[in-house]
Each structure stands twice: as structure tokens, then as C-alpha cells.
Amino acid sequence: MTSAEFLVGGDLKVRRLGFGAMHLPTEPGGDRENSLAVARRAVELGVDLIDTAFMYGRGANEELLAEALYPYRDGLLVTTKVGVSFAEASDEWRLDGRPEVLRAQVEEALRRLRVERIELLQLHRIDPETPLADQVGALRELRAEGKIGRIGLSEVGVGELAQAREIVEIATVQNRYNLLDREHEPVLVACEAAGIAFLPWRPVMWGDSGARAEIAAVAAEAGATPTQVAIAWLLGHSPVMLPIPGTARISHLEENVAAGDLVLSGAHRDRLDRLAPLPE
């Protein structure tokens, strides 16, 4: 295994730069055809970790990926998320971690993705109205039944991660994190200590004009784009970091994947490290 790879859950090898499918349009027509092409191009470029969720189009994103990629190439990890429900009556999403709901959503995801086992299943959010032990316990039961292989969490704090790990092994954490938003640095540190993969969502996001100018300056000096600098910074910041930048354009996808080859100098990293305050 190289530094560009990571063992998710200690045994599933993936490249450390994945693809987030959330932004792919799923409605019939030209945009959908482009989405299929983007997903296929990601795999052609060597991406072997693709992130989706029930919440992305109420399963339509999962169906899109299956249409584009099934039968899946050996070693391709398509991970999805459950734990959010859509109420038709109010036309609203709500957190829903009731065990029966999680079980039903996993069954539906298996059908839409056309698999018998989801190798990495993540809890999209912790439902505050359902005991954490019940939510994580339901996923542990599904793992015991062979319907999921590894369990991940999303948008959790250090305490919630620790509590969940007392119940079952946690393979991944997916929290909001990027060069200019390091609120979850303590969670990242906890993941490093435990060997848990950290999948930052919204990995590229610009802040104030001064920060953008500094990123642009580093990019110009490194012969790269600001987006590539932001991704390369993430990859170099922690060995457990697995960014999953998303896009609906092949040109942007190729730009993002190329960031995996960009190595920032120590001086550049020092300048970038100073752009965002760390939580106290």
C-alpha cells in the first residue's frame, strides 16, 4: 500500500481521493446522460471510492450510479448513507434513525445499487430523538447479517464517535471540513488516533477575499489551480484524509483527480495552515 491509498476498516484498500456523486443530475435528458458519463469517467481515471446517499434524490442518485457502473469493477467501493427520511405530507426531510427505518433504507439501497452487500454504509446524521445505541446497534445487526460490511458516521463530534465505538467498530467519519473550515479538527485527530478514515464533505470552499487571494497565490506558484491546492492540502494534512470532491463536469473531475499528484512545499503548507483558525 502506498501513501496515496488507505485501508478502510483496516482491510478495504482504496485510493485516498474519491468522488462525491451528490451534484450529479438524475432527471431524464441530456443532463442525466452527462451524469452517467461523469461517473464512468471517474472510474476510468482510477477513482475507486464513490459516495452517494438516499437523500440525494430519494435514491435516484444511487440508481444513477448503478446504471452507469453496474456490473461494478473489482475494487470499486460505492458507499451510501441512510438515516434521513422524506415526509410526503410536509414535503420536508427529517432525521430518522429508528432501527426499522434504517433497516428498510438499507434494503432499498441494496436493491437500487444492485448488490447483496454494501461494503461501507454510513449513518447520514445522528437522530437526536432516537438513542444512539439503537441507531448504531441496528447497523451492527445488519452487518452481522452480511448486508453491510463496514459502518461509518457523518457529522459527529468526538464524544458521539467515542460512544458509537463502544458499540461497534467505526470505519469512517464524514464531516464538513476544508482548508478554510476546520471546525472538526478534534474529530480528525480522534480519527487519526484510531485509524478511522476521515471523508471531508465540502472539501473545497472559499472563504473571505483575503483567503482566496492567498490560495490563488500559492496555486500560481505551484503551477496548479486553487481547487487543486485545496485538495492537495487536505491530502497532505492527514494520512487518514479521503477527500470526495464532487462535480457534474468532466473537466472539473479531471482537474480534481489530477490534484492527487500535486505535492505542496513546506512553505506553501505553512502559508495555507494559517488561513483558518483551529477550534479552541
Side-chain angles (χ1 to χ4, degrees):
M1 188 177 70
T2 69
S3 60
E5 299 170 325
F6 189 85
L7 293 177
V8 175
D11 63 347
L12 185 59
K13 184 167 68 174
V14 297
R15 293 180 62 180
R16 288 181 55 218
L17 185 53
F19 174 70
M22 180 179 71
H23 298 294
L24 295 179
T26 58
E27 294 298 319
D31 287 346
R32 182 184 180 86
E33 292 303 312
N34 179 73
S35 293
L36 295 171
V38 170
R40 290 166 181 153
R41 181 59 177 151
V43 175
E44 289 175 358
L45 291 169
V47 171
D48 56 10
L49 168 60
I50 298 180
D51 176 83
T52 183
F54 166 67
M55 189 177 180
Y56 307 160
R58 283 186 276 174
N61 197 269
E62 295 170 333
E63 292 174 339
L64 175 84
L65 292 175
E67 180 180 342
L69 303 173
Y70 185 86
Y72 303 108
R73 179 179 295 182
D74 288 346
L76 177 62
L77 172 61
V78 178
T79 173
T80 192
K81 297 183 284 293
V82 297
V84 183
S85 293
F86 184 78
E88 297 281 357
S90 60
D91 194 39
E92 291 179 337
W93 290 96
R94 71 180 184 91
L95 302 183
D96 197 339
R98 292 173 294 169
E100 63 271 23
V101 171
L102 298 179
R103 178 171 289 275
Q105 289 189 349
V106 167
E107 294 287 356
E108 292 164 2
L110 289 166
R111 175 182 57 80
R112 285 190 292 262
L113 291 171
R114 309 180 196 176
V115 295
E116 296 182 355
R117 169 181 161 114
I118 297 169
E119 292 299 335
L120 173 61
L121 190 285
Q122 301 173 97
L123 185 63
H124 209 145
R125 294 289 188 277
I126 292 177
D127 175 6
E129 297 182 5
T130 303
L132 176 61
D134 290 353
Q135 298 175 68
V136 178
L139 299 183
R140 181 182 60 190
E141 291 176 3
L142 287 161
R143 188 188 67 176
E145 294 168 17
K147 295 184 178 180
I148 62 178
R150 297 154 195 82
I151 297 168
L153 303 173
S154 182
E155 283 303 284
V156 294
V158 172
E160 291 167 324
L161 174 59
Q163 184 181 349
R165 293 184 64 216
E166 292 177 356
I167 301 166
V168 71
E169 297 87 352
I170 299 299
T172 63
V173 167
Q174 186 168 332
N175 279 18
R176 189 189 72 253
Y177 187 96
N178 57 64
L179 174 56
L180 300 178
D181 181 357
R182 298 172 65 182
E183 175 186 350
H184 292 295
E185 192 81 23
V187 181
L188 173 60
V189 172
C191 287
E192 288 178 347
I196 296 171
F198 188 92
L199 282 62
W201 64 267
R202 198 179 293 168
V204 179
M205 184 181 71
W206 310 127
D208 58 45
S209 58
R212 288 199 301 270
E214 185 69 356
I215 295 169
V218 169
E221 294 167 18
T225 67
T227 294
Q228 290 173 329
V229 166
I231 294 171
W233 179 85
L234 287 169
L235 289 168
H237 183 60
S238 170
V240 304
M241 190 81 74
L242 278 67
I244 48 171
T247 180
R249 294 176 57 182
I250 287 180
S251 60
H252 286 168
L253 169 68
E254 293 174 343
E255 175 188 350
N256 292 343
V257 172
D261 296 324
L262 175 62
V263 179
L264 298 171
S265 70
H268 283 155
R269 297 198 64 83
D270 288 343
R271 286 162 60 185
L272 296 170
D273 286 347
R274 293 194 290 268
L275 294 179
L278 292 175
E280 297 180 359

